[in-house]
Structures are given as C-alpha cells and as structure tokens.
Amino acid sequence: MRIQVLVQSALVIAALSLSFAATAQKFQEPTREELQMTADPKAPGAPAVYLYREESTDNRSHFTTHYARIKVLTELGKEYATVEVPYVPGWTATPIIEARTIHSDGSVIPLVGKPSDLLVFQTRSNHVKAAVFNMPSVEVGSILEYKWTMSQLGGHVSGVADQAEEGYYASALAGEIPQWDVQSPLYIHKEHFYYNPVSDLEANVIGNQSIAHYNSEGELASYMLYAQRLPAGARVGVSPKGDYSLDVQDVPALRSEANAPPQDSMQYRVRFYYSPYTGADVFWDNEAKRWSKQLDQYAAQASAIKNAASEFTGGIDAPEAKARKLYDAVQALDNTDFSRAKSDAERQQLHMRAQKNVADVLNEKSGSSNDLAALYLALARAAGLQADGMKVADRRWRIFDPNYLSLDQLDGLLVVLHIDGKDIYLDPGEKLCPFGQLAWNHSLAGGLMQNGKNPAYTPPNLTKDGITAHTADLTVDAHGAVTGTVKVLMNGPEALRWRQLNLTASTDEVQKQLNESLHALLPNGVTGEVSGIQGLDTSAGFVSAAVRVNGQLGSATGKRLLLPGFFFSMGAHLEFVSEEKRDAAVDLHFAQQTIDDVVYHLPAGYTVESAPQPAQLPWPDHAALVIKTAPAAGSIDIKHIFARAFVLLDAKEYPALRDYYQKVAITDQQQLVLTATASGGN
C-alpha cells in the first residue's frame, strides 16, 4: 500500500532540503569460515542459506534498498542465482543493481551487463515490471552477494495549483509502506530491517500546513501502526524520531507443510499501515458500526423486498420454516460467482444500471455471493426475523488476525439468525450450501457481526454434517481376486465441493475427477469406475456415487488367503505418522466422520481364521475410532468408523496428534485371514 497525500496549503519550499542519498549496505568481505562452508548445521540439507540480508525503506531519502548474501550449498541452491526485483514505473525508478559471485577460493566475479526488464502484470492504472538478473559463474560453494536500490518517484498529489508544483510535491513526498517478510524459503542467519515513514517535506512542515494520510479504504488515517508475527524474543523497535527497525537471528526456513493453514497467515512478518484508530478495541468497535450502517443501507427494506418476503413466506408462521423458505428462494437465483457477471459494457448495452441495493439484485434475479447474502438478510428482516450480517475472512486464503486493523482481510458475507434463543449461521451466498451450514472456509472464521461483540467468530461444523460413508459388497475368489460394487455417500463440505464443481464443469469432468479420487481410496491392485452419480443438483441429502470395482486384493499362501482387514485406505494423513516434528499448525478444514462398511463374500470352502478385532480407540475431545466385525455363514461384515471433531490444532499439540494417528495406523494394519477347509479351497 502506498501513501496518499493531500497538501492543504503551500509550503515554504526554500525552507526544505531534500536528501537523495541511498543508504544501501556496503559489500562485505567473506570470512574464511563462510568460504569453506559446505553444509550448515543449523539448516541440515538446505540447498542454500542467507548469511545476511537487509531491507531499508527510507522515505526521507526517497530510496528503498535490499541487500543479501547467500551461500550456495547444493546444486539445487544454484536456483537462487536468478533474482527478480519488482517495480512500478511512475512510482519508482528502474532499480540500480550491483552484484558479485564469490567462489570458495575467494575469487570474485562481478555482475556485468544490464538486467532483463520483464512485464509481470498490468492494470488500468499500473504496469508492474521486474528487473531480472542472473548472478555470474555460480557453483556449489559460491557466495551470492547483491544489492539493489530503487528511487521513489511518488504519484498523484491532490490540492496543488499547477503541474510543476504538483511534480515537486509528488517527488518530495514520495514514499513506500513496506511489508517486512522476516521468513523466507531459506534459513536466515542474520537480518536487519529499517523503515523511516516520514519524508523530508513532512518532517519540516511548518505553521498551519498539514499532510493527510489515507488508508486503503480511503479513510483519513493519522496513525502509523504495524502488526507483527515474529520469532520469540524479536520485537520491532521504534526510535524517538519515529523510525522503525528490527534485528533477527536464526530464522528457520519457511516450509510448505501439508494440512496447514494458508502460509501467508503463518509466515513471520511485519505489516505497516495507516489507521484512523490507535488500538484494536476502538478500531473494531467503530469499524463494525460503520460497516453495519453501510450494509443496512444496501439491504434496505424497499417495498419490493417486503412484497417478495411476503410472497415467499405466505401462509407460514414458524420462524425457522420462514427462514428456510427464503433461503431456498435466494439459493435459486443466479449466483454470478458460479456463472458469469455481466461486464460494464454489456450492462450499458442492455440499458442496465449498476446494482445499488438488494432491490436491484432481486429485480435482476442475479448477483454475486455477497449480493445474494445481503438480499437474504433483507428478506429475512422483512419477514419479521431477527437477522444480522457477518463479514468474515476466507480461510482458504488467510487466517483472521485481530491485531491487523484492516477490513482488507474480510471477504465473505454471512447471515446469523436469532430464533428461539439460538443462533443459526447461514451461508446464503454459497451456492448449494445447505440451510444451517457453512462452507468450510467460512467456519471457524473471524470477522465482524452486526449487533454483536467484535471481533466475532463462526462455529465449527458438526461431525454429523461432515459424513463420508463407503459401503462395499465384495466377492473374493480363492486366488484373492475381488469383484463387486462400492457406494460412496457424502454430505456437508465434501458434497458441496462436488456440487459446486458440477456448476462450473461438465458432468464428464465431474465423473473423471471422481474416478481419479478413487485411487487414494481403493487398495493397491484394485481399480474402480464410477457408474452413476446422484444428488449433485440439490443441497438436500447426500451426494452418492456408484462404483464398480475389481482387481487383485489378497494373496494365497498354502491353505490361507491373506486380505487387508480394511478395504478402504486410511492413509490420508500418513504424514502425521512419518513426520516427527512440525512447524505449522494443523488445519484439516472441517470436522468429519468417515464410515466404512465392507461385506466380504468368501470363496467356497473358506472360513474366517482371524479378522480385525472389535475395538474402541478414543482421543478425548478430539477423535475416536470404532471397529466392529460380524462374521456370518460364507461372509463377514467389517465396520471401520472414524470420527474427528477437531479442525485446527496448534503445532505444540502435534506430538499428541502424531501419537494418536500412530495408534490408528497400527490398528489399521490388521489382516483378514481366510482358511480353506479340508473339503474346499485349493
């Protein structure tokens, strides 16, 4: 985010002196230890490590500088020899780049030539480019040392009389608001950050003159704040002059871990921003009121809304029945997040004005997810229901941070009904989401709620609303081959995933992806083919898929036939068994219950010698595994029921999670052993 400024009166230019000296770190001579390093005990197996890095944003001097020293330890580490420096022409000058490669024998190869200038992406107002350069003569053992400096040019300045004066102020007030990415994909031994937010012009403003800052919402924002997520013991320092610095050592590499929250929300970093408020309590209270007022205006009780609510709920008295009827009506409208919104040019050609309120959404029978949620809010209120809007962060992209005082992190609009003393959280803008449930990315999400304590949080789903059931009827022959049918049933988030895919892809594509999902479900040697799918076009009930299966399941040894005790794979979280430690929190998206029920029809002349033992394996308040077996003449029925109530776990709870999943894995290794009788079998 860049600073927007308003110069309210002329300044005495002669009284100001602008410094344009860059403050980049000077190149350093490597130590003997650095040159001879072949591996790093602090980062075992790392392809490369940062020996040192530095970032400086000095708005007084109007320069941004970056400096880095990287030690290459493996062939893979040579990838860091390509460096990209993004910049925006008009806001910043082309970066000035200096670089050199130092070999392990101390020889130095400087960078020569100009970097490539590539267009990264463009919008109507900005073209983002990148200056790309490759470090010279890189080999394993090299130290890559580079620095780049970028002059800040500024942008548009309001309230200035003539073009020449505007250009002066744009340059004199030029500045950046940095984001310090303290953690990177490489281990960092030492790093230093510096930020001076005040330009020379701002520092020397006199008399009644003033410079106003605005935040990303366009509000007057007088206070420079920062949100920090840092290693233990690290803190941003603020000097008496109002500049900021940070020194950190031994920062672990940012690892991409499976089943983790969005990496962007877990990375060590510092975010600076301007705010109208000095503290979290005041911010959330005031922003909730402002946002609530705007939502109420958009969801105003126009006559068309009242008439529609009366028409939809005619003859219905029970509040929840009314709520469900309205929910079905809104869900039936065109959700442009799953179809296609008309462009401005198309709307103009069709003489359609921009949607200004929910009455326009109702009239067009079409809108975005948030538009439809606001429409449901208006209809519910018009029907006499007590309802509030709730704006939340989308857990697919970020974890809500109440210390980051910005509404930028809130994406989705939900509705909370208050009926008979209970709160019912609804996701009316999420196409095909059942009444009373939330899409997984809106559960356990933080944000703002009208007429409630803020910040507020949504509840997790119930395990009964996250069921995946697999039933199989299988015939086994004397050689261990198997044929039969499988039925897959899903409700809740899993069903919603397939239903929404069906909205944006062909039926053939849905079937193709379902077939691909069977690879992780079925045991090695067994293949499956989906023969039919039901329940995709409704939010009610289960999505069901019929599957034909065949293949080699077991092996014969003498008179015995050895089969896996549990037909369906439970290997979805084997990483919890194999990984001894974990840096990131665990995020499994939603609570879930998996019910597997398999009937094996035995080969003629075979009986069950041993089968999985009935068992209960609880993890109090977290999960439970139940195993049941029911032998019968010529068959055996084996049930494997696993319920997981937790969704998010802190990394410090990982040892307990791993211990439990190890016990589950051991239990799941049991076999089904069949024995041929004297009169049958081989």
Side-chain angles (χ1 to χ4, degrees):
M1 179 173 67
R2 290 182 173 78
I3 301 173
Q4 295 177 297
V5 296
L6 172 64
V7 180
Q8 295 181 330
S9 58
L11 302 178
V12 182
I13 298 176
L16 305 180
S17 61
L18 302 180
S19 171
F20 295 98
T23 58
Q25 169 71 45
K26 302 295 184 182
F27 278 175
Q28 300 179 22
E29 289 307 311
T31 66
R32 179 181 177 184
E33 291 76 13
E34 290 173 342
L35 291 172
Q36 295 180 350
M37 180 188 295
T38 58
D40 194 331
K42 292 185 176 181
V49 295
Y50 277 104
L51 300 172
Y52 182 76
R53 64 190 294 260
E54 181 175 306
E55 295 183 17
S56 177
T57 302
D58 191 342
N59 288 347
R60 185 154 190 162
S61 297
H62 314 291
F63 276 92
T64 299
T65 62
H66 283 225
Y67 170 77
R69 300 176 68 237
I70 298 174
K71 177 70 176 184
V72 178
L73 299 173
T74 70
E75 285 291 329
L76 188 61
K78 292 165 68 174
E79 294 181 1
Y80 293 91
T82 300
V83 183
E84 295 187 9
V85 184
Y87 70 99
V88 181
W91 284 99
T92 62
T94 303
I96 300 171
I97 296 168
E98 300 175 75
R100 64 179 187 172
T101 299
I102 306 173
H103 288 167
S104 55
D105 63 1
S107 58
V108 177
I109 298 89
L111 175 70
V112 295
K114 294 183 178 180
S116 302
D117 196 19
L118 305 178
L119 178 66
V120 179
F121 69 89
Q122 66 182 38
T123 65
R124 291 182 179 179
S125 56
N126 288 326
H127 288 188
V128 178
K129 291 188 174 183
V132 182
F133 62 95
N134 292 298
M135 302 293 291
S137 185
V138 176
E139 57 189 35
V140 175
S142 296
I143 294 175
L144 314 180
E145 188 173 22
Y146 60 85
K147 62 182 177 182
W148 54 261
T149 305
M150 199 147 47
S151 176
Q152 303 160 355
L153 302 179
H156 177 67
V157 178
S158 304
V160 181
D162 60 66
Q163 187 172 358
E165 193 174 2
E166 179 184 344
Y168 170 78
Y169 284 124
S171 177
L173 289 167
E176 286 283 341
I177 299 180
Q179 176 173 284
W180 293 346
D181 290 329
V182 176
Q183 199 170 19
S184 86
L186 296 182
Y187 182 91
I188 303 170
H189 281 266
K190 291 184 180 181
E191 56 186 336
H192 173 74
F193 299 87
Y194 174 79
Y195 174 38
N196 179 7
V198 181
S199 70
D200 190 79
L201 189 62
E202 293 175 275
N204 290 281
V205 68
I206 59 174
N208 295 322
Q209 292 79 19
S210 62
I211 297 172
H213 296 273
Y214 294 85
N215 64 11
S216 58
E217 283 87 35
E219 300 171 301
L220 184 64
S222 303
Y223 304 101
M224 168 61 74
L225 303 179
Y226 60 89
Q228 58 184 346
R229 177 183 173 84
L230 295 172
R235 283 289 179 270
V236 173
V238 185
S239 78
K241 295 181 180 180
D243 52 4
Y244 302 84
S245 63
L246 173 67
D247 289 281
V248 191
Q249 295 186 29
D250 299 325
V251 181
L254 185 64
R255 292 200 304 147
S256 179
E257 296 183 288
N259 298 302
Q263 194 175 72
D264 189 62
S265 296
M266 309 306 295
Q267 181 183 11
Y268 292 140
R269 64 164 45 151
V270 179
R271 287 184 286 201
F272 293 93
Y273 56 97
Y274 279 96
S275 173
Y277 310 103
T278 57
D281 291 343
V282 177
F283 173 85
W284 293 115
D285 182 56
N286 283 275
E287 286 301 288
K289 291 176 182 177
R290 182 182 66 83
W291 163 75
S292 179
K293 182 178 179 180
Q294 291 176 343
L295 179 59
D296 287 343
Q297 291 173 344
Y298 187 71
Q301 299 293 291
S303 58
I305 297 296
K306 294 178 180 178
N307 292 338
S310 177
E311 180 182 344
F312 290 141
T313 61
I316 301 174
D317 295 323
E320 187 169 326
K322 282 185 178 182
R324 288 178 178 274
K325 193 71 174 178
L326 294 173
Y327 191 86
D328 291 341
V330 170
Q331 282 273 307
L333 302 181
D334 174 37
N335 188 321
T336 56
D337 288 341
F338 293 90
S339 56
R340 189 182 71 86
K342 293 182 176 64
S343 66
D344 292 341
E346 287 177 299
R347 296 185 70 87
Q348 188 174 18
Q349 187 176 11
L350 295 170
H351 305 290
M352 299 171 67
R353 67 176 190 178
Q355 292 180 341
K356 296 181 179 180
N357 50 49
V358 293
D360 293 337
V361 177
L362 178 65
N363 180 57
E364 293 184 19
K365 296 181 173 55
S366 175
S368 68
S369 295
N370 286 346
D371 291 333
L372 295 177
L375 173 60
Y376 180 82
L377 176 67
L379 290 169
R381 289 172 172 174
L385 301 174
Q386 185 181 354
D388 290 312
M390 185 173 183
K391 191 173 180 65
V392 298
D394 188 323
R395 284 211 297 120
R396 290 174 299 180
W397 319 122
R398 65 187 61 86
I399 298 296
F400 174 66
D401 182 0
N403 296 310
Y404 177 37
L405 308 187
S406 173
L407 297 190
D408 286 350
Q409 57 185 318
L410 305 182
D411 313 281
L413 180 62
L414 311 177
V415 175
V416 185
L417 298 178
H418 311 287
I419 297 176
D420 297 332
K422 66 177 182 179
D423 295 336
I424 303 175
Y425 290 79
L426 302 178
D427 215 338
E430 197 70 45
K431 191 73 171 178
L432 294 174
C433 185
F435 180 90
Q437 297 182 30
L438 302 175
W440 78 261
N441 50 299
H442 291 153
S443 64
L444 289 174
L448 296 177
M449 183 165 67
Q450 292 181 303
N451 302 307
K453 184 179 180 181
N454 287 301
Y457 296 84
T458 59
N461 71 298
L462 302 175
T463 53
K464 71 178 182 64
D465 295 326
I467 293 175
T468 299
H470 311 113
T471 61
D473 190 85
L474 306 173
T475 299
V476 183
D477 70 17
H479 303 287
V482 64
T483 57
T485 59
V486 167
K487 188 171 185 179
V488 181
L489 296 171
M490 298 170 283
N491 72 353
E494 277 297 313
L496 183 60
R497 176 167 71 94
W498 293 106
R499 284 165 171 159
Q500 291 185 345
L501 176 63
N502 189 53
L503 295 173
T504 57
S506 66
T507 302
D508 289 344
E509 178 62 23
V510 175
Q511 185 160 328
K512 174 187 173 185
Q513 293 195 28
L514 267 171
N515 280 326
E516 291 173 353
S517 72
L518 295 175
H519 299 320
L521 177 65
L522 300 177
N524 290 335
V526 177
T527 60
E529 181 75 22
V530 174
S531 58
I533 311 170
Q534 294 182 332
L536 289 174
D537 56 355
T538 175
S539 63
F542 287 77
V543 169
S544 65
V547 182
R548 294 184 296 267
V549 297
N550 65 84
Q552 190 66 31
L553 180 63
S555 58
T557 58
K559 290 189 175 184
R560 288 184 175 85
L561 191 59
L562 307 180
L563 306 168
F566 304 104
F567 181 73
F568 296 108
S569 172
M570 293 298 295
H573 302 300
L574 285 179
E575 69 275 7
F576 295 151
V577 177
S578 59
E579 290 182 352
E580 293 186 8
K581 56 181 291 186
R582 186 179 176 94
D583 297 324
V586 174
D587 184 356
L588 297 179
H589 294 176
F590 53 89
Q592 189 174 28
Q593 185 174 183
T594 304
I595 303 171
D596 297 336
D597 187 356
V598 179
V599 175
Y600 289 103
H601 297 282
L602 312 184
Y606 277 78
T607 59
V608 174
E609 177 180 313
S610 64
Q613 295 298 302
Q616 294 187 13
L617 184 61
W619 182 16
D621 302 321
H622 289 80
L625 171 64
V626 176
I627 296 172
K628 298 179 180 180
T629 59
S635 69
I636 184 170
D637 186 351
I638 301 175
K639 293 183 173 66
H640 184 289
I641 304 167
F642 182 71
R644 176 179 49 76
F646 73 90
V647 179
L648 295 167
L649 284 182
D650 192 89
K652 65 184 179 182
E653 297 182 79
Y654 180 70
L657 180 148
R658 181 171 183 257
D659 178 68
Y660 180 74
Y661 273 87
Q662 283 180 322
K663 294 175 182 177
V664 171
I666 292 171
T667 302
D668 288 348
Q669 290 173 7
Q670 297 180 80
Q671 287 188 316
L672 173 63
V673 181
L674 307 181
T675 303
T677 63
S679 59
N682 295 330

